Amino acid sequence: MARTNTPGPNLEQWIEEGRRTIIEIADMLGVPPETYASDPLTLIPALQNYVSRLPFEQFEQSDWITLHSDLMSYVADFLIRRHGAHWRVVDDSTTPRGYRYVIEAAGRDAQTRRIDPADVVRSEFDNLPVEITRMLASAELTLHLASRITEGE
């Protein structure tokens, strides 16, 4: 389907902007970039503390957009660094631009699955308070990168 009046996807730019965003956030929260790069889990305590202290009741639309974008960058980068996932562009006629960026990974069952990190973050905001670990676990489970613990195990 041809896209009119919208620029095509620039996957490399999208990837670089997301990577730069999360490195800057880590640095802002006191996690040195090289520490974060070696293990993205090192950001969880600082990011959780930061998010837990945010005055959501005072947020304006731009604040929500920035926070969602920042958390989306973290979810994606975590999946890429920890699980070898990667960004893909997929057509999506439900979006104004006609496509969306998704994360793709092969699960423990060798099946390739995709998620939109924005959906993961949006879902987390439906279950306040925001829990960074739960958000990451949700993404891992959706992509079948982790095992579900069933009752009795």
Side-chain angles (χ1 to χ4, degrees):
M1 172 174 169
R3 296 176 189 97
T4 58
N5 299 325
T6 58
N10 185 335
L11 186 58
E12 291 306 314
Q13 181 180 348
W14 179 262
I15 290 168
E16 184 54 36
E17 287 174 3
R19 186 175 297 132
R20 190 173 43 247
T21 295
I22 197 56
I23 293 294
E24 289 171 1
I25 291 166
D27 194 38
M28 174 189 81
L29 296 176
V31 178
E34 58 278 356
T35 301
Y36 171 78
S38 69
D39 184 1
L41 292 174
T42 59
L43 183 56
I44 291 174
L47 188 57
Q48 183 64 60
N49 184 48
Y50 172 72
V51 170
S52 296
R53 302 173 66 132
L54 290 173
F56 293 140
E57 66 282 352
Q58 297 173 17
F59 267 34
E60 295 180 10
Q61 184 69 19
S62 62
D63 299 320
W64 286 111
I65 291 168
T66 299
L67 180 59
H68 279 235
S69 177
D70 292 349
L71 293 176
M72 185 184 79
S73 294
Y74 181 52
V75 168
D77 199 61
F78 167 80
L79 293 168
I80 290 165
R81 290 178 189 273
R82 292 285 292 198
H83 297 290
H86 46 273
W87 283 105
R88 290 277 187 243
V89 177
V90 296
D91 287 334
D92 185 347
S93 62
T94 67
T95 65
R97 61 185 177 204
Y99 62 90
R100 72 172 48 206
Y101 296 99
V102 297
I103 289 289
E104 183 177 86
R108 293 174 60 144
D109 59 0
Q111 295 291 328
T112 299
R113 292 178 181 79
R114 295 175 177 162
I115 61 166
D116 184 336
D119 292 341
V120 174
V121 172
R122 215 174 352 268
S123 177
E124 186 61 27
F125 278 90
D126 290 339
N127 298 298
L128 296 175
V130 171
E131 295 289 338
I132 301 300
T133 303
R134 179 178 61 201
M135 187 174 61
L136 297 177
S138 174
E140 288 178 317
L141 289 170
T142 299
L143 292 170
H144 290 229
L145 299 170
S147 298
R148 288 190 186 272
I149 297 177
T150 58
E151 201 169 314
E153 282 189 31

